[in-house]
Amino acid sequence: METLFITLCGEDDATFEKAGKILRDGGLVAFPTETVYGLGGNALDPEAAVKIFAAKGRPGDNPLIVHVSKPEDAEAFAVTNDMYYILAEHFMPGPLTVVLPKKDNIPMSVTGGLDTVAVRCPAHPAARRLIEAAGVPVAAPSANLSGAPSPTTAAHVYDDMKGRVEMIIDGGECEIGVESTVIKPDSDGCTVLRPGEITPRELAGVVDSVYIAEAVVDPSAAGDAPQSPGMKYKHYAPTSRLMLIDGDDEAFAEYVNSTKERCAVLSYTENIGDFVRAFVMDAGSKNDPAEQMHKLFRLLRDSDEARADVIYAHLPPKSDEYLALYNRIIRAAGCTVIHLDK
Ligand code: TXA
Ligand code: MG
């Protein structure tokens, strides 16, 4: 299949018209969101979902998120509740996904056989225009090959999806850089199934109780039938082995400088000068989790170009605003952590 690659230029009516038609006709369009690039198909078309899973090489039991341009559009395919609208008022459009009971018109191939559906209303103007042009809800996982880091630029999407999708819309680099916060409301609050830019503390400002699923920080807790199937799969992994270091900055530099391996380092901006022979990448300022999140997936892709035997990175804290970073990087590293004496 030939993949159309179109960069947005400000006069894009024809692009969105064409993209909307591709989606209505059962094809796939990759598009930017504020989190990562998505791989969109018509959420009401079971065949489109099958094509999405095939293009990604994704296991069929890992469900897709359904995107809408207005929170109330979820009524057409999900059973909403008061908490959904409270959350929508505070966080939509934006990087929040809410799991709700599904209605019959959402195919089981979209929800991976579950009786719930994940709903998200993205903030990125191009995503919103695409959904409106399609005139149907848009099922969209991240637009990477299954297991690879999520794409934060259209070039990353092209690397993974050329020849597999009808169109890629290039809207520049994604602002946030990690995927949306996924939550499931329950009777007295909600459970965070996947952390993102919207933190548990922010959610707690709006709903009574916020729980964090155990598998968020401990992938081995996911088991065979996790609350969110995505929890059980290896994710975000670069080709080289990623190892996390738990230790202070000085011990980290000493460890990396003394290793004989050909290595790459994801260093805090402040410490870049500390490494003598590694391929050093700037992972963002030490106390800036937003910058570190923004850069993470790009760096995991770039680090492959260093052809290193091993990539070292700091083990982030598990605290509120670092939780999404911790969740992604611990999976990318397959939970390999080296604890240095402090
Ligand atoms: O930011 C994002 O959410 C991006 C952009 C494109 O919107 N999308 C994204 O989709 O990250 P994906 O498919 O890569 O991740 C969806 C996550 C998976 O962890 C999946 O298990 C979970 O959402 N999920 C989807 N439907 C679910 C459901 N019904 N119940 C529980 N978890 C669900
Ligand atoms: Mg994904």
Side-chain angles (χ1 to χ4, degrees), residues 239-325:
T239 311
S240 311
R241 197 160 39 109
L242 174 66
M243 301 182 94
L244 304 179
I245 306 264
D246 176 23
D248 63 30
D249 296 358
E250 207 175 312
F252 183 121
E254 222 167 84
Y255 182 89
V256 172
N257 288 337
S258 64
T259 175
K260 303 263 178 305
E261 292 160 309
R262 194 183 149 88
C263 60
V265 185
L266 269 59
S267 163
Y268 295 138
T269 313
E270 294 81 353
N271 302 349
I272 280 173
D274 295 351
F275 300 95
V276 289
R277 36 171 293 278
F279 179 83
V280 187
M281 291 174 287
D282 183 351
S285 186
K286 184 170 180 173
N287 297 313
D288 190 343
E291 188 189 5
Q292 291 177 42
M293 277 195 290
H294 175 75
K295 289 184 158 166
L296 179 68
F297 288 145
R298 166 189 281 276
L299 290 181
L300 292 180
R301 281 177 184 257
D302 287 354
S303 62
D304 281 338
E305 280 156 34
R307 296 181 201 289
D309 299 323
V310 55
I311 308 161
Y312 292 108
H314 290 273
L315 177 73
K318 293 178 194 167
S319 53
D320 194 60
E321 48 187 342
Y322 287 90
L323 191 62
L325 198 65

Coordinates of all heavy atoms in Angstrom, one line a residue, residues 239-325:
T239 N 16.0 -1.2 21.0 CA 16.7 -2.4 20.6 C 17.8 -2.8 21.6 O 18.0 -3.9 21.9 CB 17.3 -2.2 19.2 OG1 16.2 -1.7 18.4 CG2 17.7 -3.6 18.6
S240 N 18.6 -1.7 22.0 CA 19.7 -2.0 22.9 C 19.1 -2.3 24.3 O 18.0 -1.8 24.6 CB 20.6 -0.8 23.0 OG 21.0 -0.4 21.8
R241 N 19.8 -2.9 25.2 CA 19.3 -3.2 26.5 C 19.3 -1.9 27.4 O 20.3 -1.2 27.4 CB 20.3 -4.2 27.1 CG 19.9 -5.0 28.3 CD 20.8 -6.2 28.5 NE 22.1 -6.0 28.1 CZ 23.1 -5.9 29.0 NH1 22.9 -6.2 30.3 NH2 24.4 -5.7 28.6
L242 N 18.2 -1.6 28.0 CA 18.1 -0.4 28.9 C 18.3 -0.9 30.3 O 17.6 -1.8 30.7 CB 16.8 0.3 28.6 CG 16.5 1.5 29.6 CD1 17.5 2.6 29.3 CD2 15.1 2.0 29.4
M243 N 19.2 -0.2 31.1 CA 19.3 -0.6 32.5 C 19.1 0.7 33.3 O 19.7 1.7 33.0 CB 20.7 -1.2 32.8 CG 20.9 -2.5 31.9 SD 22.4 -3.3 32.2 CE 21.9 -4.4 33.5
L244 N 18.4 0.6 34.4 CA 18.1 1.8 35.2 C 19.1 1.7 36.5 O 19.3 0.6 37.0 CB 16.7 1.8 35.7 CG 15.7 1.7 34.6 CD1 14.2 1.7 35.1 CD2 15.9 2.9 33.6
I245 N 19.6 2.9 36.8 CA 20.5 3.0 38.0 C 19.8 3.7 39.1 O 19.3 4.8 39.0 CB 21.7 3.8 37.6 CG1 22.4 3.2 36.3 CG2 22.7 3.8 38.8 CD1 23.5 2.2 36.5
D246 N 19.8 3.0 40.3 CA 19.2 3.6 41.5 C 20.4 4.0 42.3 O 21.1 3.1 42.9 CB 18.4 2.5 42.2 CG 17.8 3.0 43.5 OD1 17.7 4.2 43.7 OD2 17.5 2.1 44.3
G247 N 20.7 5.3 42.4 CA 21.9 5.7 43.1 C 22.0 7.2 42.9 O 21.3 7.8 42.1
D248 N 22.9 7.9 43.7 CA 23.0 9.4 43.5 C 23.8 9.7 42.3 O 24.4 8.8 41.7 CB 23.5 10.0 44.8 CG 24.9 9.6 45.1 OD1 25.7 9.2 44.2 OD2 25.3 9.6 46.3
D249 N 23.8 11.0 41.9 CA 24.3 11.3 40.6 C 25.8 11.0 40.5 O 26.3 10.5 39.4 CB 24.2 12.9 40.4 CG 22.7 13.3 40.3 OD1 21.9 12.4 40.4 OD2 22.5 14.5 40.2
E250 N 26.5 11.1 41.6 CA 28.0 10.9 41.6 C 28.3 9.4 41.4 O 29.1 9.0 40.6 CB 28.6 11.3 42.9 CG 30.0 11.7 42.9 CD 30.4 12.2 44.2 OE1 29.7 13.1 44.8 OE2 31.5 11.8 44.7
A251 N 27.5 8.6 42.1 CA 27.7 7.1 42.0 C 27.3 6.6 40.6 O 28.0 5.8 40.0 CB 26.9 6.4 43.1
F252 N 26.3 7.2 40.1 CA 25.8 6.9 38.7 C 27.0 7.1 37.7 O 27.3 6.3 36.9 CB 24.6 7.8 38.4 CG 24.0 7.5 37.0 CD1 22.6 7.1 36.9 CD2 24.6 7.7 35.8 CE1 22.0 6.9 35.7 CE2 24.0 7.5 34.6 CZ 22.7 7.1 34.5
A253 N 27.6 8.4 37.8 CA 28.6 8.7 36.8 C 29.8 7.8 37.0 O 30.4 7.3 36.0 CB 29.0 10.2 37.0
E254 N 30.2 7.5 38.3 CA 31.3 6.6 38.5 C 31.1 5.2 37.9 O 32.0 4.7 37.3 CB 31.4 6.5 40.1 CG 32.9 6.6 40.6 CD 32.8 6.7 42.1 OE1 32.7 5.7 42.8 OE2 32.8 7.9 42.6
Y255 N 29.9 4.8 38.1 CA 29.5 3.4 37.6 C 29.7 3.4 36.1 O 30.3 2.5 35.5 CB 28.1 3.0 38.0 CG 27.7 1.7 37.6 CD1 27.9 0.6 38.4 CD2 27.1 1.5 36.4 CE1 27.6 -0.7 38.0 CE2 26.7 0.2 36.0 CZ 27.0 -0.9 36.8 OH 26.6 -2.2 36.4
V256 N 29.1 4.4 35.4 CA 29.1 4.4 34.0 C 30.5 4.6 33.4 O 30.9 3.9 32.5 CB 28.2 5.5 33.4 CG1 28.3 5.6 31.9 CG2 26.7 5.1 33.8
N257 N 31.3 5.5 34.1 CA 32.7 5.7 33.6 C 33.6 4.5 33.8 O 34.6 4.4 33.1 CB 33.2 6.9 34.4 CG 32.6 8.2 33.9 OD1 32.1 8.3 32.8 ND2 32.6 9.3 34.7
S258 N 33.2 3.6 34.7 CA 34.1 2.5 35.0 C 33.7 1.2 34.2 O 34.5 0.3 34.2 CB 34.1 2.1 36.5 OG 32.9 1.7 36.9
T259 N 32.6 1.3 33.5 CA 32.2 0.1 32.8 C 33.0 0.0 31.5 O 33.4 1.0 30.9 CB 30.7 0.1 32.5 OG1 30.4 -1.0 31.6 CG2 30.2 1.3 31.7
K260 N 33.2 -1.3 31.0 CA 34.0 -1.5 29.8 C 33.1 -1.5 28.6 O 33.6 -1.6 27.4 CB 34.8 -2.8 29.9 CG 35.7 -2.9 31.1 CD 37.2 -2.5 30.7 CE 38.1 -2.5 31.8 NZ 37.8 -1.7 33.0
E261 N 31.8 -1.6 28.8 CA 30.8 -1.7 27.7 C 30.8 -0.5 26.8 O 31.1 0.6 27.3 CB 29.4 -2.0 28.2 CG 29.3 -3.4 28.9 CD 28.1 -3.4 29.8 OE1 28.0 -2.5 30.7 OE2 27.3 -4.3 29.7
R262 N 30.3 -0.7 25.6 CA 30.0 0.4 24.7 C 28.6 0.9 25.1 O 27.6 0.2 24.9 CB 30.0 -0.1 23.3 CG 30.0 0.9 22.2 CD 29.9 0.1 20.9 NE 29.2 1.0 19.9 CZ 29.8 1.9 19.1 NH1 31.1 1.9 19.2 NH2 29.1 2.6 18.3
C263 N 28.6 2.1 25.8 CA 27.3 2.4 26.4 C 26.8 3.8 26.0 O 27.6 4.7 25.6 CB 27.3 2.3 27.9 SG 28.5 3.3 28.7
A264 N 25.5 4.0 26.1 CA 24.8 5.3 26.0 C 24.2 5.7 27.3 O 23.9 4.8 28.1 CB 23.8 5.2 24.9
V265 N 24.1 7.0 27.6 CA 23.5 7.4 28.9 C 22.4 8.4 28.6 O 22.6 9.3 27.8 CB 24.6 8.1 29.7 CG1 24.1 8.4 31.1 CG2 25.8 7.2 29.9
L266 N 21.3 8.2 29.3 CA 20.3 9.3 29.4 C 20.6 10.1 30.7 O 20.3 9.7 31.8 CB 18.9 8.7 29.5 CG 18.2 8.4 28.2 CD1 18.9 7.5 27.3 CD2 16.8 7.8 28.5
S267 N 21.3 11.2 30.5 CA 21.8 12.0 31.6 C 20.9 13.2 31.9 O 20.3 13.8 31.0 CB 23.2 12.5 31.2 OG 23.6 13.6 32.1
Y268 N 20.8 13.6 33.1 CA 20.1 14.9 33.4 C 21.0 16.0 32.8 O 22.2 15.9 32.7 CB 20.1 15.1 34.9 CG 19.2 14.1 35.7 CD1 19.6 13.6 36.9 CD2 18.0 13.8 35.2 CE1 18.8 12.7 37.6 CE2 17.2 12.9 35.9 CZ 17.6 12.4 37.1 OH 16.8 11.5 37.8
T269 N 20.4 17.0 32.4 CA 21.1 18.2 31.7 C 22.2 18.6 32.6 O 23.3 18.9 32.1 CB 20.1 19.4 31.5 OG1 18.9 18.9 31.0 CG2 20.7 20.4 30.6
E270 N 22.0 18.7 33.9 CA 23.0 19.3 34.8 C 24.3 18.4 34.9 O 25.3 18.9 35.3 CB 22.4 19.4 36.2 CG 21.3 20.4 36.4 CD 19.9 19.8 35.9 OE1 19.8 18.7 35.3 OE2 18.9 20.6 36.1
N271 N 24.1 17.1 34.5 CA 25.3 16.2 34.7 C 26.0 15.7 33.5 O 26.8 14.9 33.5 CB 24.7 14.9 35.4 CG 24.1 15.2 36.8 OD1 24.2 16.3 37.2 ND2 23.4 14.2 37.3
I272 N 25.6 16.4 32.3 CA 26.2 15.9 31.1 C 27.7 15.8 31.1 O 28.3 14.9 30.5 CB 25.6 16.8 29.9 CG1 24.2 16.3 29.6 CG2 26.5 16.7 28.7 CD1 23.4 17.1 28.6
G273 N 28.4 16.8 31.7 CA 29.8 16.8 31.7 C 30.5 15.7 32.5 O 31.7 15.6 32.5
D274 N 29.7 15.0 33.3 CA 30.3 14.0 34.2 C 30.7 12.7 33.5 O 31.3 11.8 34.2 CB 29.2 13.6 35.3 CG 28.9 14.8 36.2 OD1 29.6 15.8 36.1 OD2 28.0 14.6 37.0
F275 N 30.3 12.5 32.3 CA 30.5 11.2 31.6 C 31.7 11.3 30.7 O 31.7 12.2 29.8 CB 29.2 10.7 30.9 CG 28.1 10.5 31.9 CD1 27.2 11.6 32.1 CD2 28.0 9.4 32.7 CE1 26.2 11.5 33.0 CE2 26.9 9.3 33.6 CZ 26.0 10.3 33.8
V276 N 32.6 10.4 30.8 CA 33.9 10.5 30.0 C 33.9 9.8 28.7 O 34.4 10.3 27.7 CB 35.1 10.1 30.8 CG1 35.4 11.2 31.9 CG2 35.0 8.8 31.4
R277 N 33.3 8.6 28.6 CA 33.4 7.9 27.3 C 32.1 7.3 26.8 O 32.0 6.6 25.8 CB 34.4 6.8 27.4 CG 34.6 6.0 28.7 CD 35.5 4.9 28.6 NE 34.9 3.8 27.8 CZ 34.0 2.9 28.2 NH1 33.6 2.9 29.4 NH2 33.6 2.0 27.3
A278 N 31.0 7.6 27.4 CA 29.7 7.1 26.9 C 29.1 8.1 25.9 O 29.5 9.2 25.8 CB 28.7 7.1 28.1
F279 N 28.2 7.6 25.1 CA 27.4 8.4 24.2 C 26.3 9.0 25.0 O 25.4 8.4 25.5 CB 26.8 7.5 23.1 CG 25.9 8.2 22.1 CD1 26.5 8.9 21.0 CD2 24.5 8.2 22.2 CE1 25.7 9.5 20.1 CE2 23.7 8.9 21.3 CZ 24.3 9.5 20.2
V280 N 26.4 10.4 25.2 CA 25.6 11.0 26.2 C 24.4 11.7 25.6 O 24.5 12.4 24.6 CB 26.4 12.1 27.0 CG1 25.5 12.6 28.2 CG2 27.6 11.4 27.6
M281 N 23.2 11.5 26.1 CA 22.0 12.1 25.6 C 21.3 13.0 26.7 O 21.3 12.5 27.9 CB 21.0 11.1 25.1 CG 21.5 10.4 23.8 SD 20.4 9.1 23.3 CE 20.8 7.9 24.5
D282 N 20.8 14.1 26.4 CA 20.2 15.0 27.4 C 18.8 14.6 27.7 O 17.9 14.8 26.8 CB 20.3 16.4 26.9 CG 19.7 17.4 27.9 OD1 19.2 17.0 28.9 OD2 19.9 18.7 27.6
A283 N 18.5 14.0 28.9 CA 17.2 13.5 29.2 C 16.3 14.5 29.8 O 15.2 14.2 30.3 CB 17.4 12.3 30.1
G284 N 16.8 15.8 29.9 CA 16.0 16.8 30.6 C 16.5 17.2 31.9 O 17.4 16.5 32.5
S285 N 16.1 18.3 32.4 CA 16.6 18.8 33.7 C 16.1 17.9 34.8 O 15.0 17.4 34.8 CB 16.1 20.3 33.9 OG 16.6 20.8 35.0
K286 N 17.0 17.8 35.9 CA 16.7 16.9 36.9 C 15.4 17.0 37.6 O 14.7 16.0 38.0 CB 17.9 17.0 38.0 CG 17.8 16.0 39.1 CD 19.1 16.1 39.9 CE 18.9 15.0 41.0 NZ 20.1 14.9 41.8
N287 N 15.0 18.3 37.8 CA 13.7 18.5 38.6 C 12.6 18.9 37.7 O 11.6 19.5 38.1 CB 14.0 19.5 39.7 CG 15.0 19.0 40.7 OD1 14.9 17.9 41.2 ND2 16.0 19.9 41.0
D288 N 12.6 18.4 36.4 CA 11.6 18.8 35.5 C 11.0 17.6 34.8 O 11.3 17.1 33.7 CB 12.2 19.7 34.4 CG 11.2 20.4 33.5 OD1 10.0 19.9 33.5 OD2 11.5 21.3 32.8
P289 N 10.0 16.9 35.5 CA 9.4 15.7 35.0 C 8.7 15.9 33.7 O 8.8 15.0 32.8 CB 8.4 15.3 36.1 CG 8.2 16.5 37.0 CD 9.4 17.3 36.8
A290 N 8.2 17.1 33.4 CA 7.5 17.3 32.1 C 8.5 17.3 31.0 O 8.2 16.7 30.0 CB 6.8 18.7 32.2
E291 N 9.7 17.9 31.2 CA 10.7 17.8 30.1 C 11.2 16.4 29.9 O 11.4 16.0 28.8 CB 11.9 18.8 30.5 CG 12.9 18.9 29.3 CD 14.1 19.6 29.7 OE1 14.4 20.0 30.9 OE2 15.0 19.8 28.7
Q292 N 11.4 15.7 31.0 CA 11.9 14.3 30.9 C 10.8 13.4 30.2 O 11.2 12.6 29.4 CB 12.2 13.7 32.3 CG 13.4 14.4 33.0 CD 13.6 13.9 34.4 OE1 13.5 12.7 34.6 NE2 13.9 14.8 35.3
M293 N 9.6 13.6 30.5 CA 8.5 12.9 29.8 C 8.5 13.2 28.3 O 8.4 12.3 27.4 CB 7.1 13.2 30.4 CG 6.8 12.4 31.6 SD 5.0 12.5 32.0 CE 4.8 14.1 32.5
H294 N 8.6 14.5 28.0 CA 8.6 15.0 26.6 C 9.6 14.3 25.8 O 9.5 14.0 24.6 CB 8.7 16.5 26.6 CG 8.8 17.1 25.3 ND1 7.7 17.2 24.4 CD2 9.9 17.6 24.6 CE1 8.1 17.8 23.3 NE2 9.4 18.0 23.3
K295 N 10.8 14.1 26.4 CA 12.0 13.6 25.6 C 12.1 12.0 25.6 O 12.8 11.5 24.8 CB 13.2 14.1 26.3 CG 13.4 15.6 26.0 CD 14.8 16.1 26.5 CE 15.2 17.4 25.8 NZ 16.3 18.0 26.6
L296 N 11.4 11.4 26.6 CA 11.8 9.9 26.8 C 11.7 9.1 25.5 O 12.6 8.4 25.2 CB 10.9 9.4 27.9 CG 11.1 7.9 28.2 CD1 12.5 7.6 28.8 CD2 10.0 7.3 29.0
F297 N 10.5 9.1 24.9 CA 10.4 8.1 23.8 C 11.3 8.5 22.6 O 11.8 7.6 21.9 CB 8.9 8.1 23.3 CG 8.0 7.4 24.3 CD1 6.7 7.8 24.5 CD2 8.4 6.3 25.0 CE1 5.8 7.1 25.4 CE2 7.6 5.6 25.9 CZ 6.3 6.0 26.1
R298 N 11.5 9.8 22.3 CA 12.4 10.1 21.3 C 13.8 9.6 21.6 O 14.5 9.1 20.7 CB 12.5 11.7 21.1 CG 13.6 12.1 20.3 CD 13.7 13.7 20.4 NE 12.8 14.3 19.5 CZ 13.0 14.5 18.2 NH1 14.1 14.1 17.6 NH2 12.1 15.1 17.5
L299 N 14.2 9.8 22.9 CA 15.6 9.3 23.2 C 15.7 7.8 23.1 O 16.8 7.3 22.7 CB 15.9 9.8 24.7 CG 16.2 11.3 24.8 CD1 16.5 11.6 26.2 CD2 17.3 11.8 23.9
L300 N 14.6 7.1 23.5 CA 14.7 5.6 23.4 C 14.9 5.2 21.9 O 15.6 4.3 21.6 CB 13.5 4.9 24.0 CG 13.4 5.1 25.5 CD1 12.1 4.4 26.0 CD2 14.6 4.5 26.2
R301 N 14.2 6.0 21.0 CA 14.5 5.7 19.6 C 15.9 6.1 19.1 O 16.6 5.4 18.4 CB 13.4 6.4 18.7 CG 12.1 5.7 18.7 CD 11.0 6.4 17.9 NE 9.8 5.6 18.1 CZ 9.2 4.8 17.1 NH1 9.8 4.7 15.9 NH2 8.1 4.2 17.3
D302 N 16.3 7.3 19.6 CA 17.6 7.8 19.2 C 18.7 6.9 19.7 O 19.8 6.8 19.0 CB 17.9 9.2 19.7 CG 17.0 10.3 19.0 OD1 16.4 9.9 18.0 OD2 17.0 11.4 19.4
S303 N 18.5 6.4 20.9 CA 19.6 5.6 21.5 C 20.0 4.4 20.6 O 21.1 3.9 20.7 CB 19.3 5.2 22.9 OG 18.1 4.3 22.9
D304 N 19.0 3.9 19.8 CA 19.3 2.8 19.0 C 20.4 3.2 17.9 O 21.2 2.3 17.5 CB 18.1 2.3 18.2 CG 17.2 1.4 19.1 OD1 17.8 0.9 20.1 OD2 16.0 1.3 18.9
E305 N 20.4 4.5 17.5 CA 21.4 4.9 16.6 C 22.8 4.9 17.1 O 23.8 4.9 16.4 CB 21.0 6.3 16.0 CG 19.9 6.2 15.0 CD 19.2 7.5 14.8 OE1 19.7 8.6 15.0 OE2 17.9 7.4 14.6
A306 N 22.9 5.0 18.5 CA 24.2 5.0 19.1 C 24.9 3.6 19.0 O 26.1 3.4 19.3 CB 24.1 5.4 20.5
R307 N 24.1 2.6 18.6 CA 24.5 1.2 18.6 C 25.3 0.8 19.8 O 26.4 0.2 19.8 CB 25.4 0.9 17.3 CG 24.6 1.1 16.1 CD 25.5 0.9 14.8 NE 24.9 1.5 13.7 CZ 23.8 1.1 13.1 NH1 23.2 0.1 13.5 NH2 23.4 1.8 12.0
A308 N 24.8 1.2 21.0 CA 25.4 0.8 22.2 C 25.0 -0.6 22.7 O 24.0 -1.1 22.3 CB 24.9 1.8 23.3
D309 N 25.9 -1.2 23.5 CA 25.6 -2.5 24.0 C 24.5 -2.3 25.1 O 23.7 -3.2 25.3 CB 26.8 -3.2 24.7 CG 27.9 -3.4 23.7 OD1 27.6 -3.7 22.5 OD2 29.1 -3.2 24.1
V310 N 24.6 -1.2 25.8 CA 23.7 -1.0 26.9 C 23.4 0.5 27.0 O 24.3 1.3 26.7 CB 24.3 -1.6 28.2 CG1 25.7 -1.1 28.5 CG2 23.4 -1.4 29.4
I311 N 22.2 0.8 27.5 CA 21.8 2.2 27.7 C 21.6 2.4 29.2 O 20.8 1.6 29.8 CB 20.5 2.6 27.0 CG1 20.6 2.3 25.5 CG2 20.2 4.1 27.2 CD1 19.3 2.2 24.8
Y312 N 22.2 3.3 29.9 CA 21.9 3.6 31.3 C 21.0 4.8 31.5 O 21.2 5.8 30.8 CB 23.2 3.8 32.1 CG 24.1 2.5 32.1 CD1 25.3 2.4 31.4 CD2 23.7 1.4 32.9 CE1 26.0 1.3 31.4 CE2 24.5 0.3 33.0 CZ 25.6 0.2 32.2 OH 26.4 -1.0 32.3
A313 N 20.1 4.7 32.4 CA 19.3 5.9 32.7 C 19.0 5.9 34.2 O 19.1 4.8 34.9 CB 18.0 5.8 32.0
H314 N 18.6 7.0 34.8 CA 18.3 7.1 36.2 C 16.9 6.4 36.4 O 16.0 6.5 35.6 CB 18.1 8.6 36.6 CG 19.3 9.3 36.6 ND1 20.1 9.4 37.7 CD2 20.0 10.1 35.7 CE1 21.2 10.1 37.5 NE2 21.1 10.6 36.3
L315 N 16.8 5.7 37.6 CA 15.5 5.2 38.0 C 14.8 6.4 38.6 O 15.2 7.0 39.6 CB 15.7 4.2 39.1 CG 14.4 3.6 39.7 CD1 13.7 2.7 38.7 CD2 14.7 2.8 41.0
P316 N 13.6 6.8 38.0 CA 12.9 8.0 38.5 C 12.2 7.7 39.8 O 12.0 6.5 40.1 CB 11.9 8.3 37.4 CG 12.1 7.4 36.3 CD 12.9 6.2 36.8
P317 N 11.9 8.7 40.6 CA 11.0 8.4 41.8 C 9.7 7.9 41.4 O 9.3 8.1 40.2 CB 10.9 9.8 42.5 CG 11.7 10.8 41.6 CD 12.1 10.1 40.4
K318 N 8.9 7.3 42.3 CA 7.6 6.9 42.0 C 6.5 7.9 42.4 O 5.3 7.7 42.3 CB 7.2 5.6 42.8 CG 8.1 4.4 42.4 CD 7.7 3.2 43.3 CE 8.7 2.1 43.1 NZ 8.6 1.1 44.2
S319 N 7.0 9.1 42.8 CA 6.1 10.1 43.3 C 5.2 10.7 42.2 O 5.5 10.5 41.0 CB 6.9 11.2 44.0 OG 7.8 11.7 43.1
D320 N 4.1 11.3 42.7 CA 3.0 11.8 41.8 C 3.4 12.2 40.4 O 3.0 11.6 39.4 CB 2.4 13.0 42.6 CG 1.0 13.3 42.0 OD1 0.1 12.5 42.0 OD2 0.9 14.5 41.6
E321 N 4.2 13.3 40.3 CA 4.4 13.8 39.0 C 5.5 13.1 38.2 O 5.7 13.3 37.0 CB 4.8 15.3 39.0 CG 5.8 15.6 40.1 CD 6.0 17.1 40.3 OE1 5.6 17.9 39.4 OE2 6.6 17.4 41.3
Y322 N 6.2 12.1 38.8 CA 7.1 11.3 38.1 C 6.6 9.9 37.8 O 7.2 9.1 37.2 CB 8.4 11.1 39.0 CG 9.3 12.3 39.0 CD1 9.1 13.2 40.0 CD2 10.3 12.5 38.1 CE1 9.9 14.4 40.1 CE2 11.1 13.6 38.1 CZ 10.9 14.6 39.1 OH 11.7 15.7 39.2
L323 N 5.3 9.7 38.2 CA 4.7 8.3 38.1 C 4.7 7.8 36.7 O 5.0 6.6 36.4 CB 3.4 8.3 38.8 CG 2.8 6.9 39.0 CD1 3.6 6.1 40.0 CD2 1.3 7.0 39.6
A324 N 4.3 8.7 35.8 CA 4.1 8.3 34.3 C 5.5 7.9 33.8 O 5.7 6.9 33.1 CB 3.5 9.4 33.5
L325 N 6.5 8.7 34.2 CA 7.9 8.4 33.7 C 8.4 7.1 34.2 O 8.9 6.3 33.5 CB 8.8 9.6 34.2 CG 10.1 9.8 33.6 CD1 10.0 10.2 32.2 CD2 10.9 10.9 34.4

